[in-house]
Amino acid sequence: MKNLLILIVLMMVGHTGIAQDKLYLIFEFMKVDNEQEQAYMETEAFWEKIQEQRVKNGDIMGWDLWGLQPGGENQGYQYLTVSLYNDPVKMMSGAGDFEAALKAAYPEMSDDDLTEKFNNTAKSRDLAKRIYLEQIATTKGDFEMPLGTVAGINLMKVTDGDYEKYEKFETEIFQPMHQKEVDTGLRGNWGLLRYMLPVGSDVYASHITVDMYRNYNHLFSGGAAAAPALSADQNRKIQEGIASRDLKYKYMATLLRKVR
């Protein structure tokens, strides 16, 4: 199975070699029942120490836990974890020594206690969806994403034939606008992510855009700023870009835990 995943990645990146300076991400959407909220927080506190060791060991670049809104039990998912990689093969193949990270994080914990922790993990949440992504565009800046960061996570569906048109629209029209907002302090960061897996006509979305702010005060103070005047050509291109994708769903996410 691992060899098959590696082959898929190699096919995706083509003949130019695997770029080592790009960012690759695993999004894991969690469903948590109301009565399991406290147990789930304890679960992620347990996993945070393991993720710290995975970063130290070079298995991952980082890990985050985000709380999602609306997040009601009948409105989708309540939490999102994000694992960061600089290598798609490492991400897709599950490379790294998990046992070494586990033992380093909890050297005094018995096998029975560890087994109980893993059993509690399964009981506290339902890992409902896992998505493999690559970052294809981002703004520049020194935003460090502190705890409490607020992110708008926009799930976009683009047909295969419109990928180039949509991505060109985001990078040539919207990215410069977002960069100006970053430069003037109205926004923390913006990024564009493309699905690597799953793919196909039945997949709910194909791209994700992420808008980051320090907190909700930052978000709404920036939203009150006057939008720059646009030319007729810019307005036309924006309308063409919007028509190339379907905004399927938007979550507002708050950063609860972070490992780097």
Side-chain angles (χ1 to χ4, degrees):
M1 184 64 180
K2 287 188 176 181
N3 289 337
L4 176 59
L5 290 175
I6 292 172
L7 177 60
I8 292 172
V9 174
L10 292 175
M11 292 171 64
M12 288 176 176
V13 300
H15 300 291
T16 58
I18 297 173
Q20 295 299 316
D21 57 349
K22 291 184 66 174
L23 183 64
Y24 300 87
L25 312 93
I26 297 178
F27 276 25
E28 294 180 319
F29 289 88
M30 309 292 183
K31 287 188 175 182
V32 179
D33 293 336
N34 288 338
E35 62 270 19
Q36 291 294 330
E37 287 281 345
Q38 182 59 39
Y40 178 67
M41 288 296 101
E42 293 173 1
T43 287
E44 293 299 0
F46 167 75
W47 277 91
E48 184 176 13
K49 292 187 66 175
I50 300 173
Q51 307 297 4
E52 289 173 353
Q53 290 299 322
R54 295 182 71 202
V55 170
K56 290 179 182 178
N57 296 346
D59 298 339
I60 60 175
M61 293 177 61
W63 172 88
D64 307 328
L65 171 66
W66 299 80
L68 299 177
Q69 291 176 283
E73 287 191 357
N74 295 322
Q75 291 177 299
Y77 313 105
Q78 292 75 41
Y79 295 94
L80 167 68
T81 63
V82 180
S83 300
L84 310 176
Y85 297 81
N86 60 2
D87 183 338
V89 173
K90 184 181 291 186
M91 176 183 72
M92 299 292 291
S93 65
D97 191 337
F98 180 80
E99 288 296 325
L102 177 61
K103 292 298 184 183
Y106 297 101
E108 305 301 326
M109 191 171 289
S110 69
D111 289 343
D112 288 343
D113 287 341
L114 287 172
T115 298
E116 182 179 358
K117 286 289 187 181
F118 285 119
N119 288 338
N120 290 340
T121 294
K123 292 176 183 177
S124 67
R125 90 292 188 269
D126 174 18
L127 200 174
K129 187 180 293 292
R130 179 181 287 126
I131 302 169
Y132 297 84
L133 301 146
E134 63 173 320
Q135 184 182 76
I136 57 177
T138 185
T139 52
K140 298 178 180 179
D142 56 2
F143 185 63
E144 295 184 354
M145 206 176 76
L147 295 182
T149 291
V150 170
I153 300 176
N154 310 292
L155 279 67
M156 308 290 191
K157 181 64 177 285
V158 181
T159 60
D160 290 345
D162 283 337
Y163 271 34
E164 183 177 358
K165 179 192 295 185
Y166 168 68
E167 292 173 4
K168 186 176 182 180
F169 152 68
E170 287 283 8
T171 55
E172 294 186 3
I173 303 298
F174 269 169
Q175 186 175 355
M177 296 180 182
H178 300 323
Q179 186 64 59
K180 288 182 180 179
E181 291 187 341
V182 170
D183 294 342
T184 57
L186 294 178
R187 179 189 296 261
N189 181 262
W190 170 89
L192 173 62
L193 312 174
R194 181 199 296 147
Y195 277 44
M196 295 176 69
L197 281 177
V199 294
S201 59
D202 290 339
V203 174
Y204 184 74
S206 61
H207 294 73
I208 293 175
T209 61
V210 181
D211 307 294
M212 289 193 181
Y213 301 86
R214 290 190 303 274
N215 48 43
Y216 275 109
N217 285 333
H218 187 202
L219 167 64
F220 288 113
S221 64
L230 301 175
S231 67
D233 184 56
Q234 285 176 315
N235 276 314
R236 177 184 59 80
K237 290 180 178 179
I238 288 174
Q239 293 306 313
E240 289 177 353
I242 291 174
S244 70
R245 93 292 190 269
D246 177 15
L247 174 57
K248 301 292 290 184
Y249 206 86
K250 182 185 185 76
Y251 283 104
M252 294 306 299
T254 302
L255 183 61
L256 304 177
R257 294 180 181 272
K258 170 185 169 183
V259 174
R260 291 292 185 273

